[in-house]
Amino acid sequence: MADEIPVRDVTADEAAFFAEHGWVRLPGLVGPDAVARLRERAEVYLRRRERERTTLVDRAFGQSRDIAESDELFRALTFAPAMGRAATRLLRGVRGVRVQVTNLLIKEPGGGHGATEFHQDFPWMPMDRSAMLTFWLALVDVPADMGSLRFYDGSHRYGILGRSFTREGDDQLSQHPWLKELELSPSLDLAAGDATVHHSLTVHGAPANRRGTPRLSFTVTYFDADALYTGTPYAQTDGLGLTVNRPFEHPRFPPVPA
Ligand SMILES: O=C(O)CCC(=O)C(=O)O
Ligand SMILES: [Fe+2]
């Protein structure tokens, strides 16, 4: 029988908060029993992971990309209708969403990983529109000093600010010091099962993990199902045979029922 993951719906207030601020906290998005099962799975995958530190991103956190393609429990969460409904509601004006990527993230303690420098997610993407967001689900309790995400409030309204993680010193605050005039979201103490959601244009980052245990989280990124492929070179899409100016109709970008 297919696994089911209980996911609650997003409220009208949460959707309004997201529209204004470009991020939102969703307490208790996933029920505690389901989170415990997801965490057990995550621990197995992350133990197997090779600890290469080759890119600037690798220094900030470890990843196990496309986890929902290989694991049925993370797939059940990714395709839960409540997730599709939430993404569609938060993005406003989209008819539906597709999955862009799923990921398990680990931020090791004790200097294993550093801070996640402030960045936008969208500047890399080969989509013709920025209607895209990421759910970041805490799989363990994530107190602020373990590295919950922080967001520059309303930064999603300033368009594409450029790529980060391409060279030293290209974090968004160095490129755009005026961002400091915006409010920084409060440091959040998340419980396992809580999530934050950020828009793909929202500038976000995270401090290093100062606790003694790893920060474990799952992320899923959804985008407007009607977005068109631009042909911009991108490792994930290169060679898939997508057609420029056509939607992402490909098994790697499945639509999610809402
Ligand atoms: O978990 C982190 O520290 C960063 C995650 C992130 O940047 C993202 O999910 O877009
Ligand atoms: Fe990000």
Side-chain angles (χ1 to χ4, degrees):
M1 200 192 81
D3 281 296
E4 282 202 14
I5 302 286
V7 179
R8 73 164 175 86
D9 278 310
V10 163
T11 67
D13 281 354
E14 288 168 340
F17 187 97
F18 180 83
E20 184 180 347
H21 299 273
W23 67 277
V24 68
R25 174 190 190 163
L26 302 177
L29 180 67
V30 177
D33 294 347
V35 172
R37 291 164 66 210
L38 292 164
R39 175 168 59 241
E40 269 171 40
R41 295 281 179 104
E43 282 165 352
V44 173
Y45 287 110
L46 292 165
R47 231 172 276 136
R48 280 193 220 139
R49 178 182 58 93
E50 278 185 44
R51 297 191 182 193
E52 280 183 80
R53 297 279 157 74
T54 47
T55 69
L56 289 174
V57 171
D58 299 330
R59 285 193 219 161
F61 49 82
Q63 319 188 42
S64 186
R65 274 175 82 91
D66 294 323
I67 186 69
E69 289 184 11
S70 54
D71 183 275
E72 72 273 16
L73 215 52
F74 284 102
R75 187 160 56 240
L77 171 58
T78 301
F79 290 96
M83 291 295 279
R85 274 198 300 278
T88 303
R89 183 168 204 183
L90 292 174
L91 284 175
R92 284 217 291 212
V94 307
R95 289 189 301 136
V97 295
R98 299 176 192 276
V99 178
Q100 188 255 331
V101 72
T102 59
N103 216 342
L104 277 182
L105 305 182
I106 182 167
K107 200 186 259 296
E108 285 164 359
H113 289 111
T116 305
E117 302 292 357
F118 281 97
H119 66 279
Q120 284 181 320
D121 294 336
F122 190 74
W124 298 92
M125 297 293 165
M127 285 80 179
D128 75 334
R129 62 203 75 184
S130 60
M132 176 183 288
L133 50 67
T134 296
F135 286 74
W136 193 103
L137 175 72
L139 297 177
V140 293
D141 290 346
V142 181
D145 61 357
M146 186 182 261
S148 55
L149 295 188
R150 301 194 73 176
F151 312 94
Y152 275 95
D153 214 281
S155 52
H156 62 310
R157 291 201 208 92
Y158 293 85
I160 302 174
L161 297 171
R163 294 179 179 184
S164 302
F165 300 121
T166 61
R167 59 201 185 282
E168 295 288 346
D170 66 359
D171 65 282
Q172 284 298 333
L173 292 182
S174 301
Q175 298 194 73
H176 302 291
W178 56 266
L179 280 166
K180 291 182 198 140
E181 291 164 25
L182 304 180
E183 216 167 294
L184 185 57
S185 65
S187 42
L188 300 173
D189 291 322
L190 301 178
D194 292 356
T196 55
V197 185
H198 59 271
H199 191 277
S200 67
L201 292 175
T202 301
V203 174
H204 60 285
N209 179 359
R210 301 280 171 218
R211 294 280 170 140
T213 53
R215 189 204 71 175
L216 298 182
S217 59
F218 167 73
T219 62
V220 50
T221 300
Y222 299 103
F223 67 105
D224 183 349
D226 292 329
L228 305 181
Y229 177 58
T230 61
T232 295
Y234 188 56
Q236 185 195 23
T237 41
D238 293 348
L240 289 184
L242 295 171
T243 306
V244 171
N245 295 337
R246 297 284 305 151
F248 285 70
E249 275 155 17
H250 188 279
R252 294 294 301 270
F253 301 98
V256 181

